[in-house]
Amino acid sequence: MSYYLDITDVKILAGNWLRLWFSDGAIIDVDAGPIIATGEVFEPIRSDRAVFEAVAVNPESGTIEWPGEVDLCPDVLYGRGEPASGKRFERRVVRPAAGAPA
């Protein structure tokens, strides 16, 4: 089954970790550190904690976004794809999707 997942909420955790709530009921913690570690577009996010903490859900696109319209793909954050950069990052499933095997 293939369908698009939306991120419905985000919470900043310690370090560069984010807790993400997905439209299928899953809650997944993601280490955004490796994602934002390189690339000019991420420079303001990695160099200023206040900018990192300004992350919010964009309800129109169903993903998270920082100031400057810097966003990340929900499928990659969920674990259904890999970042275009090829940089892997750690994720922890806090709660699996509704109806998923435990």
Side-chain angles (χ1 to χ4, degrees), residues 10-26:
V10 60
K11 177 182 177 184
I12 294 106
L13 302 175
N16 290 313
W17 283 83
L18 301 171
R19 177 160 290 168
L20 306 171
W21 283 259
F22 288 87
S23 56
D24 68 352

Side-chain angles (χ1 to χ4, degrees), residues 7-62:
I7 297 171
T8 59
D9 200 5
V10 60
K11 177 182 177 184
I12 294 106
L13 302 175
N16 290 313
W17 283 83
L18 301 171
R19 177 160 290 168
L20 306 171
W21 283 259
F22 288 87
S23 56
D24 68 352
I27 302 172
I28 300 174
D29 292 349
V30 174
D31 180 5
I35 301 169
I36 65 171
T38 60
E40 189 174 321
V41 70
F42 293 115
E43 196 282 324
I45 298 166
R46 70 176 164 265
S47 65
D48 185 343
R49 183 67 184 184
V51 176
F52 179 81
E53 291 181 0
V55 67
V57 173
N58 179 329
E60 291 181 20
S61 64

Side-chain angles (χ1 to χ4, degrees), residues 41 58 64-72:
V41 70
N58 179 329
I64 55 171
E65 187 174 276
W66 284 275
E69 298 182 3
V70 177
D71 63 3
L72 296 173

Side-chain angles (χ1 to χ4, degrees), residues 71-90:
D71 63 3
L72 296 173
C73 174
D75 281 346
V76 170
L77 294 168
Y78 192 89
R80 296 193 327 186
E82 291 300 324
S85 68
K87 289 194 173 278
R88 294 183 176 259
F89 55 93
E90 190 175 349

